[in-house]
Each structure stands twice: as structure tokens, then as C-alpha cells.
């Protein structure tokens, strides 16, 4: 279980898509919070809004209304580049998440480039936060303060080639794979490589969007073990989206159940799996037992 | 009975076709570049005594109405025609690709404005616009190239835009955005290399059409100004006495056809190879 400090949060998030035929509301008044070092699972059937929530959190899509908070400070409406300083998305299709023409080393270098620019460590960020907080109380523009406060974490102090190699070994891959293109890797290797890319970028939050759904059971288990290890060793916080309730139950500290863009139930894994209060959650559990 | 070939065999055959077409195109380009070194006679030297001489050992393609060596003029004309064509296609390709990529990636008003301009350009037949513009600009190769280029970039822009649209929301582009890669870098490092092949293939197939356009404008007197050698203008000049000296029309026409066939063949081979 993670610490009590809330690292990421969302308040009353709403998102609407308008098509010619109908209006789709993938997010309706969604509230959530993610503690430091915690794994929060988001489950629900297809079209329940899980992936949209991740995309909104990563600023790849803008919410119609609501607030997004990072370290207690609002970052709603920021660019993906800004969000990427703190969080990285691991996509369902690992192959599609890498440029097919680029070698892995180049993709990882690209992710790590920004991480090498600053020289500050985590303490420096804390100092920046404190300084920004002081300025905020003096009535300065809060958005500027936030931007100053939310400079990149630089928790790994730069990502040069030796660090990239180290990270690749950390995720259980051979460094030889760095000189291959995405299609020359297996699905599991490619998914691990995308986790390595996220770490190269200095992410402290991983947004995992159905990352195990395209993998076989053995590889799924390896990836899940890797996430658990990263949470323990690197203190990364993870938002884990999946429709596999059993997997989410075994991996996550808390679970949020979504249906038609609404959070129908939220609680600890034990509570959700043992004593569900919502009918839909019960239905999901029943379908799990039937399988 | 038709022989069934595996994809690997087909690819091998296409590779050979591509290599042969590329070699032929290379020979044509090199001939154009070193035309003066290969030309046996001065292409601009007139001679009253040699007017309309039939092909012989000294004048392989005969002489024209002013006694100029047609073979030498075809060689020197290759430089004008091929270099003008390649330059025009390259510039149109560059402008069109940049415009299409910008419109496709950023969308919004920029895309709307660019694509409406392209629509206006495409609303008129290319040759009609080219004749009108070349007429306004007056004779000369530069005028002909501008006249054709005004509409040509639109095809590349549309193609580049559609390919950019199809990949701009790919996870690897989103991953790059999250990694803090700037839009310019995304366009240059991720989008351009991934859309280059189809747009470049289109450029190759455009070479033949452009060559016809330039030669056509020269033929109409809106392109190259005499006495500069250019295949279209050579045909135009010689058509008045085609019954007396058909070689003066035949050889520049054959050179035009051969070059167009070679570049079209190369374009088709590259396209087929890509599609396999």
C-alpha cells in the first residue's frame, strides 16, 4: 500500500463526445485520487470511460469540466508535454506505441532527453514547491506558481545511455534489444520496453491502459510482477486500467468500478472483491466466477 | 497456366524491376548533366549548307531547319527538360509536403485555409491554369515552371495531409508528445519518415506528367525561348516542316516518350514494391 500523500487527483471530471447521431458521455462527475506508491485499478466493461479517463489525466484530451490535481496543485488544461514530466502512459498496443522506423534505443533516448536537461533532484522539487506556495499566498498568478512548482521531478538524475541500459535490465530485458525495431521484439518484450521508456522519462506515475490484454498469461504475470517491483523499488504510483477484475484484484490496492462514464463503486481491493455494494460490481464478480 | 509466385519471389522480381528503372533514370539524368561533353557538335551552331540534313554518320539524328545538329540539341535539351522537371517536382513536393503535414497535424484554421486554397487550385484544369499563368508571366522556362508549380503542390499537400491525419493520433505520436518532443520534432522525426514513402512515390509518378506539361507549354510557345534547346520547343519548331524533315520532330518526341516511360515505370515499380 502507498503512503497517505495524494500524488494525483481528479475532481468532478466530465467529458462529452458529440457525434451526428448521439451524445456520448464517457466521464460523468468522476472523482478519484492516487496516493504515492499506490496502485489504483480502474475496471469496467468496454466503453465505460476507463481509457478516456487516462487520456484526460495525461492531458491527451481535455475534460469539459472538472479539475486535475498533481501534488495538490491544479494542472487542468496543461499540455501533454507538461503532464509527461510526471506521468507516462503505457498503451495497450505496445508495438503501436513505438515509432516503427526507430530503434528502441532512439525511442528511449528521446524519452530520456528531457530528463537529462535538468540537474535537480527530488529535494529541489520540494524546494520549488515550497517557494511556489509562498508566492501563491502573496497573491501572484496561481498558474505561474503551479508551473514553477511542478518542474520535472528528475528523480533519477538524468538518463544517459548507461542509465538507459540499467533501466532496460531493471525491466528484465537484455540491452541487445535496444538496437532492434519494435517489430523485432515479442509483445511482452515490447510492453516491458514501453515501461522502460516511461522510467527513462522520469515518470513517477504510470498510466497503464489495458497493458496486459494483448499478452499471454505467462507474459501477463511477468509484466504484473514488474509493476509490483517498480512500485516497491522506485515508489512509482500506478493507475491500472483493465477489464480483468481478477488481475486488478491481485495487483491493486484500491479499485474503482466504472460503468457508462460513472464511478459506481470505489474501495479497497478486498472490499470490492469481498463485499461489493453495487449491483454492477456484483455482476462483474459473478461473470468472473462463471469464467 | 499462370505461375503462382510467393511474396518473396514477387518482391525479388520487383526489386530487379526497380533497380533496372532506377538505372535507366540515372543514365538519363547523367546524360542530361554531362550533355555538352557527350554532344558531338555545337547544338547552337547554324549552317546554311546543312539545313535539314537526313540522319548520317556525322549527324546521327540529322539537322533541323537552321542546320543545327538534332542529336546534340536532344542531348542539351535533356538537361533543360529533365532538370526543369526534377526541380519543379522537387520544389512542389517540398512545399506540398510541408503544407500538408502542417495542416494535417495542427488542423484548425491553418488546415482550413490551406486546404481551401488547394481546392481553388484544383477547381481548374491544371493545363488551363498553367497556360493562363504562363501567358501572364510571358515566355521563359521560369514562367512555365511557376505556371505548373502553382497547381502541382496541391496534390502533394493533399496526400501528405491525409497520411498525416491517419498517423497523428497513433500511440507513438502521443507517446512522443508525452515525452515532451516539440511539434516540429514530431513532424520531422516521426511523421515525415512515416509518410515519406507514399508521397515520394507520388512525386516519381508526377515526373512524367510534369515533363509533358513543360514540353507542352514550350510547344505552345509559352515555355523555353528559342534558340535554347528543349524537347517541346524543338518539336514545335520542327512541326512546320515535318513532311520534309520528320527526324527533327521524331527524335525529340522519342526522347520525351522514353524519359516519361522510364520515370513512370520507376514510379510504378516503387509503388508496387511498397504495396506488396
Amino acid at each position: 500500500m502507498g503512503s497517505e500523500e495524494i500524488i494525483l487527483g481528479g475532481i468532478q471530471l466530465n467529458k462529452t463526445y458529440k457525434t451526428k447521431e448521439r451524445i456520448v458521455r464517457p466521464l460523468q462527475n468522476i472523482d478519484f485520487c492516487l496516493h504515492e506508491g499506490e496502485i489504483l485499478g480502474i475496471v469496467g466493461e468496454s466503453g465505460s470511460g476507463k481509457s478516456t479517463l487516462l487520456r484526460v489525466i495525461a492531458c491527451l484530451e481535455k475534460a469539459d469540466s472538472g479539475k486535475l490535481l498533481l501534488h495538490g496543485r491544479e494542472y487542468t488544461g496543461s499540455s501533454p508535454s507538461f503532464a509527461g514530466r510526471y506521468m507516462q502512459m503505457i498503451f495497450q498496443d505496445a508495438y503501436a506505441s513505438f515509432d516503427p522506423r526507430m530503434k528502441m534505443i532512439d525511442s528511449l533516448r528521446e524519452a530520456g532527453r528531457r530528463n537529462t536537461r535538468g540537474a535537480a533532484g527530488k529535494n529541489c522539487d520540494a524546494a520549488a514547491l515550497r517557494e511556489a506556495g509562498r508566492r501563491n499566498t502573496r497573491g501572484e498568478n496561481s498558474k505561474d506558481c503551479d508551473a514553477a512548482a511542478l518542474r520535472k521531478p528528475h528523480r533519477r538524475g538524468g538518463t544517459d545511455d548507461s542509465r538507459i541500459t540499467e533501466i532496460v535490465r531493471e525491466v528484465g530485458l537484455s540491452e541487445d534489444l535496444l538496437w532492434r525495431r519494435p517489430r523485432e521484439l515479442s509483445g511482452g518484450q515490447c510492453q516491458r520496453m514501453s515501461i522502460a521508456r516511461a522510467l527513462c522519462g522520469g515518470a513517477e506515475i504510470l498510466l497503464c491502459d489495458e497493458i496486459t490484454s494483448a499478452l499471454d498469461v505467462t507474459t501477463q504475470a511477468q509484466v504484473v510482477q514488474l509493476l509490483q517491483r517498480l512500485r516497491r523499488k522506485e515508489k512509482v504510483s500506478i493507475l491500472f486500467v483493465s477489464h480483468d477484475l481478477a488481475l486488478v484484484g491481485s495487483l491493486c490496492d484500491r479499485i474503482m468500478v466504472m460503468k457508462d462514464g460513472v464511478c459506481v463503486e470505489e474501495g479497497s481491493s478486498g472490499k470490492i472483491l469481498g463485499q461489493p455494494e453495487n449491483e454492477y460490481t456484483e455482476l462483474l464478480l459473478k461473470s468472473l466466477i462463471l469464467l | 497456366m499462370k505461375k503462382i509466385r510467393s511474396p518473396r519471389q514477387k518482391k525479388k522480381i520487383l526489386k530487379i524491376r526497380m533497380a533496372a528503372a532506377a538505372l535507366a533514370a540515372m543514365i538519363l539524368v547523367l546524360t542530361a548533366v554531362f550533355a555538352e561533353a557527350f554532344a558531338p557538335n555545337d547544338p547552337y551552331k547554324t549552317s546554311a549548307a546543312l539545313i535539314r540534313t537526313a540522319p548520317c554518320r556525322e549527324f546521327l539524328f540529322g539537322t533541323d531547319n537552321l542546320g543545327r545538329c538534332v542529336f546534340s540539341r536532344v542531348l542539351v535539351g535533356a538537361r533543360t527538360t529533365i532538370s526543369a522537371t526534377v526541380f519543379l517536382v522537387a520544389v512542389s513536393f517540398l512545399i506540398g509536403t510541408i503544407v500538408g503535414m502542417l495542416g494535417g497535424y495542427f488542423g484548425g484554421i491553418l488546415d482550413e485555409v490551406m486546404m481551401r486554397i488547394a481546392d481553388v487550385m484544383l477547381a481548374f484544369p491544371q493545363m488551363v491554369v498553367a497556360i493562363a499563368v504562363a501567358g501572364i508571366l510571358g515566355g521563359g522556362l521560369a514562367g512555365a515552371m511557376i505556371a505548373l508549380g502553382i497547381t502541382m503542390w496541391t496534390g502533394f499537400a493533399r496526400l501528405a495531409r491525409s497520411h498525416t491525419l491517419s498517423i497523428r493520433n497513433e500511440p507513438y505520436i502521443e507517446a512522443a508528445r508525452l515525452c515532451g518532443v516539440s511539434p516540429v520534432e514530431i513532424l520531422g522525426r516521426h511523421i515525415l519518415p512515416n509518410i515519406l514513402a507514399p508521397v515520394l512515390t507520388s512525386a516519381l509518378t508526377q515526373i512524367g506528367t510534369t515533363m509533358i506539361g513543360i514540353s507542352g507549354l514550350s510547344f505552345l510557345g509559352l515555355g523555353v525561348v528559342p534558340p535554347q534547346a528543349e524537347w517541346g520547343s524543338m518539336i514545335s519548331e520542327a512541326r512546320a516542316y515535318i513532311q520534309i524533315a520528320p527526324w527533327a520532330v521524331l527524335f525529340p518526341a522519342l526522347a520525351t516518350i522514353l524519359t516519361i516511360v522510364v520515370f513512370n515505370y520507376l514510379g510504378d515499380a516503387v509503388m508496387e514494391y511498397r504495396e506488396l
Side-chain angles (χ1 to χ4, degrees):
Chain A
M1 178 72 188
S3 73
E4 286 306 304
E5 190 193 333
I6 294 175
I7 191 168
L8 181 73
I11 302 167
Q12 294 290 296
L13 292 170
N14 283 288
K15 177 80 186 165
T16 309
Y17 295 119
K18 282 175 190 155
T19 63
K20 276 179 185 171
E21 296 85 28
R22 63 198 183 111
I23 294 170
V24 186
R25 296 182 198 280
L27 299 182
Q28 296 176 47
N29 300 320
I30 296 289
D31 293 324
F32 76 92
C33 65
L34 178 70
H35 296 91
E36 192 175 14
E38 182 189 33
I39 304 182
L40 171 64
I42 304 174
V43 291
E45 61 196 11
S46 300
S48 58
K50 311 183 295 286
S51 296
T52 307
L53 178 60
L54 283 201
R55 293 178 63 79
V56 166
I57 292 169
C59 297
L60 289 169
E61 284 182 38
K62 284 192 166 60
D64 298 334
S65 62
K67 278 183 181 178
L68 284 164
L69 302 164
L70 193 58
H71 290 293
R73 293 186 179 274
E74 190 178 348
Y75 75 102
T76 323
S78 297
S79 65
S81 167
F82 177 80
R85 289 171 186 269
Y86 294 88
M87 58 192 85
Q88 285 292 321
M89 197 139 162
I90 319 286
F91 296 87
Q92 181 179 8
D93 186 350
Y95 289 117
S97 71
F98 284 97
D99 189 327
R101 291 178 177 273
M102 278 169 85
K103 286 183 180 163
M104 286 298 166
I105 182 75
D106 296 321
S107 295
L108 266 63
R109 275 179 188 150
E110 192 177 72
R113 201 173 47 180
R114 192 165 55 167
N115 205 16
T116 57
R117 278 185 194 151
K122 206 171 180 182
N123 294 338
C124 187
D125 261 65
L129 267 169
R130 280 195 295 274
E131 171 59 24
R134 274 201 295 277
R135 274 188 286 159
N136 209 9
T137 54
R138 292 202 295 266
E140 289 179 28
N141 182 305
S142 66
K143 205 131 197 175
D144 288 347
C145 287
D146 289 354
L150 297 175
R151 291 276 180 254
K152 195 182 174 189
H154 303 298
R155 29 196 285 156
R156 292 171 187 84
T159 317
D160 54 10
D161 279 5
S162 59
R163 177 65 191 145
I164 289 174
T165 316
E166 206 177 298
I167 290 171
V168 167
R169 282 201 207 114
E170 207 172 303
V171 299
L173 292 174
S174 159
E175 60 208 70
D176 298 344
L177 300 178
L178 283 168
W179 275 265
R180 294 197 192 166
R181 291 190 169 80
R183 284 286 159 197
E184 293 164 356
L185 269 63
S186 71
Q189 286 173 332
C190 208
Q191 200 59 282
R192 279 159 180 266
M193 207 53 103
S194 58
I195 294 171
R197 175 173 58 186
L199 297 178
C200 285
E204 54 185 24
I205 303 165
L206 297 184
L207 307 174
C208 303
D209 188 8
E210 309 251 13
I211 63 167
T212 53
S213 60
L215 306 177
D216 62 78
V217 184
T218 320
T219 320
Q220 264 187 24
Q222 287 169 353
V223 170
V224 166
Q225 280 166 11
L226 170 64
L227 291 178
Q228 283 169 330
R229 202 169 64 237
L230 288 175
R231 184 258 286 266
R232 244 189 348 261
K233 268 183 76 182
E234 305 281 334
K235 295 273 183 288
V236 289
S237 311
I238 300 170
L239 261 177
F240 191 85
V241 161
S242 177
H243 55 257
D244 187 342
L245 196 56
L247 177 68
V248 171
S250 65
L251 173 71
C252 303
D253 304 311
R254 280 189 306 127
I255 300 175
M256 194 169 132
V257 184
M258 285 183 74
K259 183 180 187 287
D260 299 330
V262 179
C263 172
V264 293
E265 193 169 357
E266 192 189 342
S268 67
S269 294
K271 182 186 162 279
I272 295 286
L273 295 176
Q275 298 159 312
E277 287 172 5
N278 187 277
E279 268 179 50
Y280 178 69
T281 316
E282 279 178 22
L283 203 69
L284 280 179
L285 281 168
K286 272 180 192 164
S287 64
L288 181 70
I289 295 160
L290 282 174
L291 280 169
Chain B
M1 207 174 88
K2 201 178 173 187
K3 202 179 163 188
I4 299 169
R5 291 194 175 99
S6 69
R8 184 175 270 191
Q9 282 174 315
K10 280 184 193 170
K11 235 173 181 173
K12 199 175 173 185
I13 292 167
L14 275 173
K15 256 186 186 172
I16 294 166
R17 273 181 58 190
M18 251 188 347
L23 183 70
M26 189 64 77
I27 290 169
L28 283 170
V29 171
L30 287 175
T31 310
V33 171
F34 300 106
E36 269 156 22
F38 294 132
N41 301 296
D42 183 348
Y44 300 107
K45 191 184 170 192
T46 58
S47 169
L50 297 168
I51 287 172
R52 297 191 290 272
T53 307
C56 58
R57 186 176 280 187
E58 195 184 346
F59 300 103
L60 285 174
F61 292 173
T63 63
D64 63 8
N65 207 27
L66 296 169
R68 296 174 295 194
C69 173
V70 173
F71 180 61
S72 302
R73 284 181 68 74
V74 166
L75 285 178
V76 174
R79 179 189 288 177
T80 317
T81 311
I82 295 175
S83 60
T85 304
V86 171
F87 180 74
L88 179 55
V89 171
V91 171
S92 304
F93 164 80
L94 200 69
I95 294 171
T97 306
I98 291 171
V99 167
M101 279 191 346
L102 290 174
Y105 185 72
F106 292 107
I109 294 174
L110 180 81
D111 184 38
E112 281 294 317
V113 171
M114 284 172 176
M115 287 307 116
R116 292 304 75 79
I117 293 171
D119 284 345
V120 170
M121 297 291 182
L122 289 170
F124 303 98
Q126 190 189 19
M127 207 54 192
V128 174
V129 177
I131 289 168
V133 175
I136 293 164
L137 294 172
L141 188 60
M145 285 165 71
I146 293 169
L148 288 167
I150 275 179
T151 51
M152 191 188 284
W153 66 272
T154 54
F156 295 117
R158 286 198 158 275
L159 193 63
R161 178 180 176 269
S162 68
H163 283 287
T164 305
L165 278 174
S166 70
I167 64 166
R168 78 168 176 182
N169 289 327
E170 284 287 315
Y172 69 87
I173 302 289
E174 292 186 336
R177 288 168 68 199
L178 279 169
C179 289
V181 182
S182 70
V184 175
E185 276 183 293
I186 288 178
L187 285 168
R189 278 172 67 99
H190 296 289
I191 292 184
L192 182 63
N194 284 296
I195 67 159
L196 196 60
V199 188
L200 208 56
T201 310
S202 165
L204 278 174
T205 54
Q206 279 288 311
I207 288 178
T209 321
T210 311
M211 200 170 283
I212 293 172
I214 289 179
S215 297
L217 286 177
S218 296
F219 181 81
L220 295 170
L222 295 166
V224 168
V225 183
Q228 194 181 349
E230 196 278 333
W231 295 340
S233 68
M234 285 170 72
I235 296 167
S236 177
E237 280 174 44
R239 78 197 150 100
Y241 49 91
I242 189 168
Q243 284 169 326
I244 313 162
W247 52 84
V249 172
L250 183 70
F251 291 110
L254 281 178
T256 310
I257 293 165
L258 177 76
T259 313
I260 290 168
V261 167
V262 165
F263 280 104
N264 278 354
Y265 190 73
L266 179 63
D268 286 346
V270 174
M271 202 173 338
E272 275 179 53
Y273 184 78
R274 277 194 51 247
E275 282 169 5
L276 199 67

